[in-house]
Amino acid sequence: LRNIPEVVRCHYISGTDTFELQVVSQDLQTFSQFAREVLINLPNVKDLRTSFSLGEIKASTGLPLGHLRTKASPQ
C-alpha cells in the first residue's frame, strides 16, 4: 500500500483486520478499474467495500490542542 500512488492515506482501524484507504482517482470508471485490478488482488485481501465522499464539510490541518496548555502560575 505504501508504494501505490493512488493510495494517499491508509489507516488500520478497529474491527477484524480492517484497513481504511483514501484513494485518489480521475473518475469513477478509473477507480473501478483500479479496485478490480489492484486492490482486490493485494495479498490477504478477502473483501473490498467502497464509499465515496459526496462533499467536504470541514477540513482542518491544525489540531485543537489549546486546552492542553498549562496555565501560568500566579506570581
Side-chain angles (χ1 to χ4, degrees), residues 44-59:
N44 301 315
V45 172
K46 297 176 184 173
D47 188 22
L48 182 67
R49 297 177 191 196
T50 61
S51 59
F52 300 92
S53 172
L54 300 176
E56 188 172 87
I57 304 301
K58 180 179 178 179

Side-chain angles (χ1 to χ4, degrees), residues 57-71:
I57 304 301
K58 180 179 178 179
S60 178
T61 57
L63 297 176
L65 302 178
H67 66 285
L68 300 177
R69 292 187 193 137
T70 58
K71 294 183 179 181

Side-chain angles (χ1 to χ4, degrees), residues 6-47:
E6 291 88 348
V7 177
V8 295
R9 287 195 172 89
C10 176
H11 295 269
Y12 184 45
I13 60 175
S14 62
T16 55
D17 299 323
T18 302
F19 290 86
E20 179 179 272
L21 307 179
Q22 185 176 8
V23 175
V24 175
S25 184
Q26 183 176 7
D27 54 33
L28 188 56
Q29 182 177 351
T30 304
F31 172 78
S32 179
Q33 182 178 357
F34 172 73
R36 286 181 281 116
E37 293 178 2
V38 178
L39 295 179
I40 200 66
N41 291 310
L42 290 171
N44 301 315
V45 172
K46 297 176 184 173
D47 188 22

